[in-house]
Amino acid sequence: MFDFIRKHTRLFQGILVLLIFPSFVFFGVQGYSSFNDASNAKVAEVDGRPITQMEWDAAHQRNIERFRQQMPNVDIKLLDSPAVRKETLDGLVRERVLLAAADHMHLGVNDDRLQRVFRTDPQFAPLRNPDGTVNRELLLAQGMSSEMFAQSLRQDLAMRQVLVGMGGTVVAPKAVVDPSLDAMLQRRQVQYQRFDAQAYRSKVNPSDADLEAFYKANEALFRTPEQARIEYVVLDLQTLQKGQTLPEADLRRYYDENASRYTAAEERRASHILIKADKDMPAADRQKARAKADALLEQLRKSPGQFAELAKKSSDDPGSAERGGDLDFFSRGAMVKPFEDAVFAMKNGEISNVVESDFGYHIIQMTGQRGGEKKSFEQVRPEIEAEVGRQMAQKRYAEAAEQFTNTVYEQPDSLQPVVDKLKLEKRSATVQRTPAPGATGALASAKLLEALFGNDALRNKRNTDAVEVGPNQLASARIVEHLPARTLPLAEVKDQVRDRVVAEQAAALARKEGQALLEQLKKGESVKLPESAVIGRMSAQSVPRNVIDAVLAADASKLPAPVGVDLGEQGYLVAQVTQVLPRDPALGNEQALQSQYAQAIASAEMQAYYAALKSRYKTEIKAQAAAAAASAAR
């Protein structure tokens, strides 16, 4: 069939034109319009203003890029899940609600406060120049102008004002805090005895009737899922790289063409004296600043050893002045261009002429240099071989992928032909309809498993079509043996059934003896329990949660207070609360705990206030966005 298509290419091209062109005429414009409508479709609305699908997608992409910068090795698929997309939409809605509230409340931020926050907040340190101004080049690298950044910061500060009043007005008096903290931090001294089901196993001997009754009541426990034993093959770049011959000339040429990759970046160290003169200053003031810089330079020419001392006294760069003007090592691109050009043209120890930049006038002394060394070919040969091999495999991949696809389709009764043709490895596995937890590679592909359990592959045990299971990765598989879901017969699982019945009956015996002891304690009989412990939510992490809950729920107004706790198949525990202890001082002093409690209440009240704002400004999530949320919850 494929040979016929290849021989009659022009004929098939003509047929395709006849089929596709009328479809485009009748549906193409409408399809384009539908696409445009989908991009502008409302996914949410706040205060009568829409949030469109395009805005949602753009915000989500920004979040992904932010995550990738912080965690370069993160799997992007995890970030593009319905749950993460829902978080993005929630963030957009929250932003719009707070902006609407700030607008209605007439909350604003003046320029002085904006400058103060930018200059003092540590989170903006990477964006500040040594003189405290914004680094425009870094902003441009992030796709922002200084005006866009200022507007974004202004909005952020306005949104903070909406909630800060609510969070800062919480009052948490001691009479309210103490009972709440006691529920979390109180400790109790207990004596206890554990009735371990394991110790009772030798005392039970279930009959065949017991085993059969348990088996019939719990058949679902002994049901095996549908499975298939399969063979599969994978075509990927790694496979194509095996056995490749890499010509020496290609390796050498790659090394020469990419010399910059194997050369350490050159760095220079410099000190400077800055006489500040913004470009917007009046010309007369700039002339005065230049004259001051010229005078300092003349002084340094006579006595170069005074550089650090003069920098401390005269430099207008507060970040470096206290260090004698030292800027430490930096590479190209880190400084404004006139400054950089001057430094990288200087010799070690040299003092520059006056250099003008947007910040004013600089006198620079170069104090050191490092880097610029090129690694030898032999040093980087393994890296080059891997990269050149990958590129060669990439070029071969398209042709190999076509051969792979055609072969598994045209010879569907065996994978051996494609194994022989492309020198692949045939692998085997046992799989179910969905990927197993922890599955990797082709076996983690839901598309491949769906194809495997399709009618043709399942009934006729034929090869699946080639399935893309990853970037530059194709796989095909065939079923060797199909094992339908079934309930295993009692004879086959009798040992498992017996073990479960023994555990159940042993736990019942342990529970019976434990409950008998509990009744004695409730009647006031004097019984010495063998173990003791201090139990609290913060100090008894190894104690089961239901034991902690039971001990702390016991009425401590009359001690000792007996409690019983059913541990299920583990047995039973009887405890007696003998003393209520003060809080552990290691958990913090009273004032610190009260402050933490107040912060928790403030957070809860801010959430409640935000929920009220959503209602006030008529926040609505549209149907398609709600569907995404439902998908995320599954």
Side-chain angles (χ1 to χ4, degrees):
M1 175 181 176
F2 284 91
D3 289 335
F4 178 83
I5 293 173
R6 278 192 287 269
K7 291 176 181 177
H8 299 83
T9 302
R10 291 188 178 276
L11 172 62
F12 275 86
Q13 287 176 343
I15 293 173
L16 287 173
V17 169
L18 290 174
L19 291 173
I20 294 172
F21 184 73
S23 300
F24 178 78
V25 170
F26 287 102
F27 303 109
V29 174
Q30 181 182 354
Y32 176 80
S33 177
S34 298
F35 172 78
N36 197 44
D37 290 344
S39 297
N40 292 314
K42 286 194 294 186
V43 294
E45 188 173 291
V46 178
D47 198 27
R49 299 177 182 178
I51 297 174
T52 66
Q53 181 71 46
M54 185 180 295
E55 290 174 310
W56 185 11
D57 292 340
H60 186 63
Q61 190 59 41
R62 287 195 299 272
N63 286 347
I64 288 178
E65 289 302 319
R66 193 177 299 116
F67 272 113
R68 289 179 65 178
Q69 290 175 8
Q70 295 171 353
M71 296 178 289
N73 297 324
V74 69
D75 185 354
I76 297 302
K77 293 179 182 177
L78 298 177
L79 302 179
D80 206 25
S81 66
V84 179
R85 288 185 63 83
K86 179 180 179 297
E87 288 182 10
T88 300
L89 181 58
D90 289 343
L92 267 178
V93 169
R94 181 182 179 85
E95 179 182 295
R96 296 297 177 85
V97 168
L98 296 180
L99 283 174
D103 183 48
H104 284 276
M105 297 176 188
H106 306 292
L107 299 176
V109 180
N110 60 36
D111 291 342
D112 289 341
R113 186 181 175 214
L114 198 70
Q115 287 286 345
R116 186 167 63 254
V117 170
F118 177 73
R119 290 176 181 271
T120 58
D121 195 323
Q123 69 172 311
F124 300 121
L127 293 176
R128 291 197 293 264
N129 286 314
D131 62 351
T133 57
V134 66
N135 189 319
R136 292 185 177 88
E137 293 182 8
L138 284 179
L139 287 181
L140 286 174
Q142 298 176 24
M144 297 179 71
S145 65
S146 56
E147 291 77 13
M148 292 167 62
F149 173 72
Q151 180 62 20
S152 174
L153 180 55
R154 197 182 300 275
Q155 287 186 349
D156 183 54
L157 294 175
M159 287 189 291
R160 289 187 204 176
Q161 292 182 68
V162 174
L163 296 177
V164 72
M166 181 63 63
T169 57
V170 170
V171 177
K174 185 176 175 59
V176 175
V177 173
D178 279 350
S180 301
L181 291 179
D182 280 343
M184 177 64 67
L185 304 177
Q186 190 181 86
R187 300 178 301 156
R188 295 187 174 188
Q189 179 75 47
V190 300
Q191 295 176 345
Y192 69 94
Q193 182 174 344
R194 180 166 180 157
F195 296 84
D196 195 339
Q198 193 70 24
Y200 293 83
R201 291 179 71 92
S202 61
K203 298 179 182 180
V204 299
N205 185 24
S207 65
D208 287 344
D210 292 335
L211 301 185
E212 187 171 357
F214 183 88
Y215 172 77
K216 288 183 177 179
N218 298 278
E219 285 188 351
L221 296 175
F222 309 106
R223 186 171 178 80
T224 61
E226 179 186 19
Q227 295 179 320
R229 289 197 304 106
I230 68 167
E231 296 175 341
Y232 69 104
V233 290
V234 177
L235 174 71
D236 55 19
L237 297 182
Q238 187 177 1
T239 301
L240 293 176
Q241 281 184 256
K242 291 179 181 177
Q244 266 187 163
T245 300
L246 304 177
E248 183 76 10
D250 289 351
L251 300 179
R252 294 279 181 180
R253 182 167 57 254
Y254 186 87
Y255 174 74
D256 293 337
E257 291 173 353
N258 295 274
S260 60
R261 290 179 52 182
Y262 310 116
T263 303
E266 182 182 4
E267 293 183 313
R268 296 285 177 103
R269 185 169 192 164
S271 297
H272 82 139
I273 298 171
L274 171 67
I275 305 304
K276 191 173 181 180
D278 293 338
K279 61 181 180 180
D280 298 328
M281 286 177 62
D285 292 340
R286 288 184 62 83
Q287 287 177 0
K288 289 180 182 179
R290 176 60 191 251
K292 182 178 179 181
D294 288 337
L296 287 171
L297 178 61
E298 184 178 351
Q299 190 174 348
L300 286 170
R301 294 293 186 209
K302 296 176 182 177
S303 182
Q306 289 186 310
F307 195 99
E309 182 181 348
L310 281 176
K312 289 179 181 179
K313 290 180 180 179
S314 305
S315 180
D316 293 330
D317 178 5
S320 66
E322 61 184 17
R323 301 191 302 271
D326 182 33
L327 297 171
D328 208 339
F329 281 99
F330 54 88
S331 57
R332 288 189 180 274
M335 300 294 181
V336 291
K337 196 169 188 312
F339 192 101
E340 175 188 294
D341 290 344
V343 172
F344 279 87
M346 294 167 67
K347 297 177 182 178
N348 201 20
E350 184 179 354
I351 295 177
S352 71
N353 292 323
V354 174
V355 176
E356 182 179 356
S357 77
D358 289 346
F359 305 118
Y361 300 101
H362 308 260
I363 303 170
I364 308 167
Q365 182 178 43
M366 182 184 154
T367 57
Q369 68 181 100
R370 66 186 182 190
E373 301 87 6
K374 184 178 180 182
K375 295 180 182 178
S376 69
F377 175 76
E378 293 304 326
Q379 283 179 296
V380 296
R381 185 184 186 106
E383 180 182 343
I384 293 175
E385 287 179 341
E387 179 61 24
V388 172
R390 189 194 66 78
Q391 291 181 4
M392 290 179 63
Q394 184 73 57
K395 291 177 181 178
R396 290 182 53 207
Y397 182 78
E399 180 184 354
E402 182 180 3
Q403 292 177 332
F404 183 93
T405 301
N406 292 348
T407 305
V408 299
Y409 177 81
E410 294 170 351
Q411 302 184 56
D413 296 324
S414 173
L415 292 172
Q416 196 59 45
V418 77
V419 168
D420 295 339
K421 178 175 287 189
L422 296 174
K423 296 183 172 50
L424 304 178
E425 176 189 358
K426 187 191 295 184
R427 311 172 195 180
S428 60
T430 299
V431 298
Q432 299 177 17
R433 285 183 178 263
T434 56
T440 58
L443 299 183
S445 169
K447 288 171 59 178
L448 180 64
L449 296 178
E450 182 181 357
L452 255 176
F453 286 90
N455 287 335
D456 190 40
L458 185 61
R459 185 184 305 112
N460 301 317
K461 294 185 171 57
R462 291 184 173 176
N463 302 339
T464 67
D465 288 341
V467 175
E468 187 173 14
V469 296
N472 296 319
Q473 192 174 46
L474 291 176
S476 177
R478 62 186 302 273
I479 291 177
V480 177
E481 181 182 8
H482 179 240
L483 306 170
R486 67 189 182 101
T487 300
L488 300 172
L490 176 58
E492 198 171 322
V493 294
K494 191 169 185 178
D495 288 343
Q496 297 176 42
V497 174
R498 178 179 176 79
D499 188 65
R500 286 180 175 271
V501 173
V502 167
E504 192 177 82
Q505 293 183 354
L509 279 181
R511 190 181 310 113
K512 183 178 180 181
E513 290 197 18
Q515 289 172 342
L517 175 60
L518 180 62
E519 287 304 315
Q520 287 181 268
L521 294 173
K522 285 182 176 180
K523 291 176 182 177
E525 296 182 21
S526 179
V527 180
K528 178 67 175 176
L529 302 182
E531 304 288 340
S532 66
V534 173
I535 289 181
R537 298 191 189 280
M538 308 297 291
S539 59
Q541 302 301 320
S542 61
V543 177
R545 174 65 181 269
N546 55 349
V547 173
I548 297 174
D549 290 343
V551 167
L552 294 178
D555 184 3
S557 62
K558 185 179 179 181
L559 299 177
V563 294
V565 184
D566 190 345
L567 302 177
E569 289 190 356
Q570 303 300 314
Y572 198 82
L573 182 139
V574 177
Q576 188 157 248
V577 181
T578 59
Q579 186 181 1
V580 175
L581 301 174
R583 297 174 195 153
D584 185 351
L587 298 175
N589 59 42
E590 291 293 323
Q591 187 175 358
L593 291 172
Q594 191 166 345
S595 175
Q596 291 172 18
Y597 180 85
Q599 289 175 11
I601 294 299
S603 177
E605 290 197 357
M606 283 193 290
Q607 288 298 325
Y609 181 52
Y610 170 65
L613 290 175
K614 287 177 68 176
S615 176
R616 180 187 302 176
Y617 297 115
K618 297 186 174 123
T619 301
E620 180 184 2
I621 305 294
K622 300 298 181 180
Q624 64 268 40
S631 173
R634 290 195 192 103

